[in-house]
């Protein structure tokens, strides 16, 4: 008790999983200021504003470690003993399977914390005396590509769902266009189609359209519903004419960039009218009611959030739920229930959108598999969600309050990053039995053959920035990596879905090894596979435990890089380094890349690379080059299959500077890969990946 407050504060932080000391991108030691530690600890539910607070929080952690209360869920590995918290006395125990059948039982001495192993992965119920605990028994590794029958060196494409086109789409992609695209990609030999996140955004705020800043990762974006999906084309045409939308939709359809507010208004207008038509169809209404009952309380809370958000936005309270009257902060409050009764049609509409969205995404996965894809869709799971959104409102015990996910300063961003997102609280995960995390995984895998987990380092630690502080004034918060990896392995096994983790940037080598041992694939990108001298590494030396790709949505396309289009954008947006002649450096790098592609037998004439505007031979060579990697799967962005210059997203600038998440494909999904470049690229990939 005589230790200085700072020492006790540091002890509390470390015991709570907050790194007091860390090393930056240049491997320099850094320490977290006391004010930041207090703010982070407060968000974790461990007050530390004064000495008494610190001691009380330390005592609370001590009691938790002593097993004063059992966790709601523990994880184990199939074939290994089940570790349970220590207890001061012996306990009777029994294990039941998911059907409540008795698996085993016995007596556990006070000195013992290990129960006999279970061989079959799955979820079990453990009773320790009268206490009930869920036991998640995971396989030793996640479901992998080698577990897929007939999948030999598969490859796929990656698309932004919103950018896909189809006739009469009204200016925005949807799940029907995705189904068409999946069939077209399968015809070229692709076994997978990786898609951008399709998480629920904010129906009443279509200007907030970044797929990586969702309202909820448990539900889907209703804007991707095709109105014809649940009604006849004749009915939809009648609705369009009733609202005088024919010209508006035609204008939106032919635009090169998505006008999100206009397109959203038009599509939602149509969907609301279709909802009224469908409501009088008894069979349709009965099927919807069944879906709604099956989804239960989580769906109702999301639908109520959407209705509340729309109502408060219309009455001058835009933004998140924190700005609503206090009575509406609790989703279980009488005021929320009363609102839901008074606005039952609006709540029902948003639940109905989720039903149609689930059908649409499921249909796209079925189209992919029916077309011959071994994997089909690979979903994308964002790293966090908007703190004012549906998930943060409906599941407040699970998420962090007062902190934003971000990144510390590094070579690419000297000021650090604050993404304005919240995510699960590590203590909240344990206290709720990881319910939200499991639900999120299941939502991502429900209609897909795989999932890409954004910023997978977040399974181990996340940079958290207190609200009101600068991005440099954050701290690393640790997460229960072993538990989370086991749950991922179990859910991927149950869904028979592969898992890819976005591990780009500064990632510890031991972390890559940890996820690799669980068969969670990392990602290797052409632009970053460099030798110490700046040259490009031979694809045969790339990792065999990571997905291979030419580019991602956040970096230049092959055509954009070769032509220097990305350099132009960096200058225009102020992201360039005025002390570096990037154009001259790019000329050197073009020769390096062409030389590497020549060495891999992907390009011709090492001494004379194509001119910057001659991109056709380059995109074909780059695809063939990357396809040679020993990666279990290779994914090629559709921009690189088509030889497009523009990337979907340029991190940093706002839409006023760069049209992030607004670019549309140059042709309808059914004809997207019919051109000579796409044909040559797909053929080069398919022949390279599938040769004996």
């Amino acid at each position: 008790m005589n230790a200085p407050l700072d020492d006790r504060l540091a002890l509390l932080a470390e015991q709570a999983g907050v790194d007091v000391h860390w090393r930056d991108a240049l491997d320099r030691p850094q320490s977290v200021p006391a004010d930041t530690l207090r703010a982070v600890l407060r968000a974790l539910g461990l007050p530390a504003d004064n000495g008494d607070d610190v001691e009380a929080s330390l005592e609370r952690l001590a009691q938790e470690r002593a097993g004063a209360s059992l966790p709601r869920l523990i994880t184990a590995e199939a074939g290994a003993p089940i570790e349970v918290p220590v207890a001061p006395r012996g306990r009777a125990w029994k294990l039941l399977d998911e059907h409540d059948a008795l698996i085993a039982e016995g007596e556990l001495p006070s000195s013992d914390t290990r129960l006999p192993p279970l061989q079959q992965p799955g979820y079990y119920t453990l009773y320790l005396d009268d206490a009930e605990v869920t036991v998640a028994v995971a396989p030793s590794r996640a479901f992998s590509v080698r577990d897929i029958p007939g999948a030999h060196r598969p490859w796929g494409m990656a698309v932004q769902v919103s950018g896909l086109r189809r006739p009469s789409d009204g200016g925005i992609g949807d799940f029907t266009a995705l189904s068409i695209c999946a069939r077209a990609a399968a015809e070229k030999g692709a076994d997978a189609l990786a898609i951008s996140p399709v998480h629920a955004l904010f129906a009443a705020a279509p200007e907030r359209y970044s797929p990586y800043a969702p309202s909820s990762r448990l539900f889907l974006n209703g804007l991707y519903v095709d109105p014809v999906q649940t009604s006849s084309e004749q009915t939809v045409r009648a609705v369009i004419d009733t609202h005088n939308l024919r010209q508006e939709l035609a204008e939106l359809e032919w635009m090169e960039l998505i006008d999100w507010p206009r397109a959203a208004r038009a599509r939602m207008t149509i969907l609301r009218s279709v909802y009224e038509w469908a409501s009088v169809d008894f069979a349709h209404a009965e099927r919807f009611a069944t879906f709604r009952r099956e989804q239960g309380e989580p769906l109702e809370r999301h639908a109520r959030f959407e209705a509340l958000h729309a109502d408060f936005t219309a009455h001058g309270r835009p933004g998140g739920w924190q700005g609503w009257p206090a009575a509406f902060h609790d989703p279980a409050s009488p005021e929320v229930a009363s609102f839901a009764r008074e606005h039952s049609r609006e709540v029902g509409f948003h639940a109905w959108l989720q039903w149609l969205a689930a059908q649409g995404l499921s249909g796209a996965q079925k189209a992919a598999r029916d077309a011959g894809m071994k994997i089909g869709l690979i979903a994308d799971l964002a790293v966090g969600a908007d703190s004012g959104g549906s998930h943060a409102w409906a599941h407040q015990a699970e998420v962090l309050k007062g902190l934003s996910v971000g990144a510390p300063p590094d070579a690419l961003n000297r000021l650090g990053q604050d993404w304005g997102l919240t995510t699960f609280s590590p203590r909240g995960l344990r206290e709720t039995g990881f319910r939200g995390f499991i639900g999120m995984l299941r939502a991502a895998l429900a209609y897909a053959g795989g999932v890409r987990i954004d910023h997978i380092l977040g399974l181990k630690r996340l940079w958290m920035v207190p609200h009101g502080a600068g991005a440099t004034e954050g701290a690393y918060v640790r997460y229960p990596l072993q538990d989370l990896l086991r749950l991922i392995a179990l859910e991927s096994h149950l869904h028979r879905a592969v898992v890819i983790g976005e591990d780009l940037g500064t990632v510890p080598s031991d972390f890559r090894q940890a996820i690799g041992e669980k068969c969670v694939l990392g990602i290797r990108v052409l632009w970053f596979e460099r030798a110490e001298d700046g040259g490009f590494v031979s694809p045969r030396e790339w990792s065999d435990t990571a997905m291979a790709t030419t580019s991602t949505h956040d970096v230049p396309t092959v055509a954009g890089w070769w032509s220097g289009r990305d350099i132009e954008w960096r200058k225009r947006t102020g992201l360039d380094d005025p002390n570096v002649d990037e154009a001259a450096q790019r000329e050197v790098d073009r020769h390096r890349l062409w030389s590497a592609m020549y060495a891999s037998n992907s390009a011709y004439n090492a001494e004379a690379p194509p001119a910057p505007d001659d991109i056709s031979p380059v995109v074909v060579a780059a695809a063939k080059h990357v396809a040679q990697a020993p990666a279990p799967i290779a994914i090629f962005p559709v921009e690189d299959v088509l030889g497009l210059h523009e990337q979907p997203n340029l991190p940093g600038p706002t839409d006023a500077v760069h049209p992030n998440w607004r670019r549309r494909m140059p042709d309808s999904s059914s004809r997207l890969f019919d051109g000579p470049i796409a044909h040559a690229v797909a053929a080069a990939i398919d022949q390279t990946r599938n040769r004996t």
Side-chain angles (χ1 to χ4, degrees):
M1 292 295 295
N2 295 323
L5 175 60
D6 284 350
D7 289 349
R8 302 296 283 175
L9 178 64
L11 176 64
L12 173 61
E14 288 295 343
Q15 291 187 1
V18 182
D19 289 345
V20 178
H21 306 289
W22 57 284
R23 305 191 76 86
D24 64 18
L26 299 177
D27 200 34
R28 298 173 304 194
Q30 302 288 344
S31 296
V32 180
D35 287 346
T36 298
L37 290 178
R38 292 190 180 94
V40 173
L41 288 166
R42 191 181 309 118
L44 293 175
L46 296 168
D49 291 335
N50 53 55
D52 290 341
D53 284 349
V54 169
E55 297 307 322
S57 293
L58 281 168
E59 177 60 24
R60 179 178 174 185
L61 292 179
Q63 291 180 1
E64 292 174 1
R65 290 195 302 272
S69 61
L70 285 170
R72 297 185 63 176
L73 178 143
I74 58 177
T75 66
E77 197 164 296
I82 301 170
E83 296 283 348
V84 298
V86 68
R89 56 182 174 78
R91 294 164 288 179
W93 65 269
K94 61 180 179 179
L95 271 166
L96 300 129
D97 67 12
E98 60 181 342
H99 304 295
D100 290 331
L102 182 64
I103 300 297
E105 60 183 336
E107 294 287 334
L108 188 69
S110 60
S111 59
D112 199 350
T113 61
R114 308 178 84 185
L115 296 177
L118 294 173
Q119 303 299 325
Q120 182 64 35
Y123 290 95
Y124 297 82
T125 301
L126 167 66
Y127 288 97
L128 284 167
D129 287 340
D130 295 329
E132 180 180 335
V133 182
T134 299
V135 180
V137 178
S140 60
R141 59 174 179 81
F143 185 84
S144 70
V145 172
R146 65 174 179 263
D147 296 319
I148 304 171
H152 175 66
R153 289 171 54 78
W155 67 277
M157 300 183 194
V159 298
Q160 308 298 313
V161 176
S162 59
L164 295 174
R165 291 182 185 267
R166 64 170 178 81
S168 304
D169 61 21
I172 191 172
D174 55 29
F175 292 134
T176 297
L178 180 61
S179 296
I180 297 169
C181 183
R183 287 191 286 266
E187 288 180 3
K188 295 298 183 181
D191 273 316
L193 187 64
I195 60 175
S196 53
V198 290
H199 304 314
L201 301 181
F202 296 83
E207 68 278 3
R208 300 166 67 177
Y209 49 77
S210 169
Y212 289 96
S215 173
S216 174
R217 294 177 290 179
L218 298 176
F219 296 99
L220 300 170
N221 188 347
L223 278 180
Y224 293 148
V225 172
D226 174 6
V228 176
Q229 174 185 324
T230 189
S231 190
S232 68
E233 290 188 20
Q234 182 178 1
T235 298
V236 174
R237 283 198 297 270
V239 168
I240 291 171
D241 288 339
T242 298
H243 293 282
N244 295 316
L245 286 172
R246 191 176 296 274
Q247 182 176 345
E248 173 79 347
L249 294 172
E251 290 179 4
L252 289 166
E253 184 176 347
W254 288 104
M255 292 174 67
E256 292 186 4
L257 299 175
I258 301 168
D259 186 328
W260 282 92
R262 284 178 63 191
R265 279 195 300 271
R267 181 161 291 180
M268 281 298 177
T269 297
I270 297 169
L271 286 169
R272 286 182 182 279
S273 291
V274 171
Y275 174 58
E276 297 303 326
W277 281 68
S279 296
V280 299
D281 181 332
F282 179 78
H284 179 94
E286 191 172 43
R287 291 194 301 273
F288 169 47
T290 299
F291 169 82
R292 200 168 173 179
R293 284 193 302 271
E294 290 172 347
Q295 295 298 307
E297 186 66 18
L299 174 62
E300 291 307 307
R301 288 194 174 189
H302 175 70
R304 290 179 178 188
F305 174 88
E306 286 280 52
L308 281 162
H309 183 250
D311 190 75
F312 283 122
T313 298
H315 289 87
R317 287 180 180 263
W321 60 270
Q322 296 90 341
W324 300 349
F328 294 91
H329 287 189
D330 179 2
S333 73
E335 289 81 3
V336 170
S338 176
F339 176 91
R341 287 191 299 271
E342 294 171 5
H343 299 80
S344 60
R345 293 294 294 169
E346 180 71 6
V347 174
F349 170 68
H350 290 289
W352 180 78
L353 282 182
Q354 290 304 312
W355 182 44
L356 294 192
Q359 291 180 50
L361 188 56
S362 175
Q365 171 66 351
K366 184 177 186 300
R369 296 301 299 271
D370 289 349
M373 284 190 176
K374 299 293 193 303
I375 297 172
L377 302 181
I378 296 178
D380 200 336
L381 186 56
V383 67
D386 192 294
S387 62
S390 165
H391 192 133
W393 176 75
H395 306 277
Q396 295 178 36
E398 299 174 351
V399 300
L400 288 165
K401 301 180 184 68
L403 301 177
S404 295
V405 183
D410 57 27
L412 296 178
N413 195 318
R414 296 185 296 275
L415 299 178
Q417 299 176 64
D418 180 346
W419 300 329
L421 303 173
T422 189
T423 190
F424 297 108
S425 161
R427 292 178 59 79
L429 285 172
R430 294 187 180 94
E431 291 167 359
T432 60
F434 293 82
R435 182 177 60 239
F437 183 78
I438 294 169
M440 182 186 69
L441 288 177
R442 290 176 177 173
L445 295 172
Y447 314 108
V451 63
R452 170 194 177 273
I453 301 176
D454 191 38
H455 194 65
I456 197 169
L457 183 59
L459 298 179
K460 181 177 182 179
R461 68 179 190 183
L462 281 172
W463 182 256
M464 295 295 185
V465 182
H467 290 176
T472 61
E473 301 171 287
Y476 277 115
V477 175
R478 298 193 296 274
Y479 280 75
L481 176 63
Q482 178 176 259
D483 291 325
L484 298 178
L485 282 177
R486 283 175 174 173
L487 290 171
I488 288 170
L490 176 54
E491 288 297 327
S492 78
H493 169 82
L494 295 175
H495 289 84
R496 296 185 62 78
V498 299
V499 183
I500 299 166
E502 187 271 296
D503 61 344
L504 303 175
T506 304
V507 177
S509 59
D510 63 337
F511 177 78
R512 285 198 169 113
Q513 180 180 348
I515 65 172
E517 290 173 352
K518 290 294 184 183
C519 283
V520 174
L521 300 177
I523 298 178
R524 300 296 175 267
V525 183
L526 174 60
W527 310 131
F528 307 144
E529 293 303 293
R530 302 280 197 113
E532 290 186 6
D533 64 0
F536 288 84
V537 175
S538 166
R540 294 178 178 84
E541 297 178 22
W542 287 28
S543 172
D544 62 358
T545 61
M547 180 198 94
T549 185
T550 43
S551 67
T552 74
H553 55 256
D554 285 336
V555 301
T557 66
V558 171
W561 186 92
W562 191 264
S563 67
R565 179 64 172 155
D566 63 310
I567 296 175
E568 296 175 19
W569 273 115
R570 285 175 59 81
K571 288 182 178 178
R572 186 183 304 181
T573 57
L575 294 175
D576 63 320
D577 186 341
N579 299 317
V580 176
D581 188 341
E582 293 190 19
Q585 182 61 51
R586 181 59 51 84
E587 182 61 24
V588 172
D589 283 342
R590 287 192 193 97
H591 283 269
R592 286 171 168 168
L593 177 59
W594 191 255
S595 176
M597 294 193 298
Y598 177 80
S600 69
N601 200 33
S602 302
Y604 56 87
N605 190 356
E607 302 304 320
D613 62 349
D614 187 9
I615 57 95
S616 297
V618 180
V619 294
V620 176
K624 185 176 181 180
H625 180 80
V626 171
Q628 295 177 50
I633 185 171
I635 299 290
F636 299 86
V638 68
E639 291 83 4
D640 289 341
V641 176
L642 302 178
L644 303 182
H645 287 75
E646 304 289 5
Q647 63 198 70
N649 181 55
L650 182 61
T654 63
D655 181 61
V657 183
H658 183 272
N660 289 339
W661 313 118
R662 295 184 59 205
R663 300 196 183 281
R664 303 207 73 195
M665 288 293 101
D667 207 340
S668 176
S669 291
S670 61
R671 301 189 300 268
L672 196 55
F673 309 120
D674 290 349
I677 293 180
H679 178 78
V681 169
I685 298 168
D686 200 50
Q687 292 167 10
T688 303
R689 292 294 292 178
N690 293 305
R691 67 172 181 240
T692 57

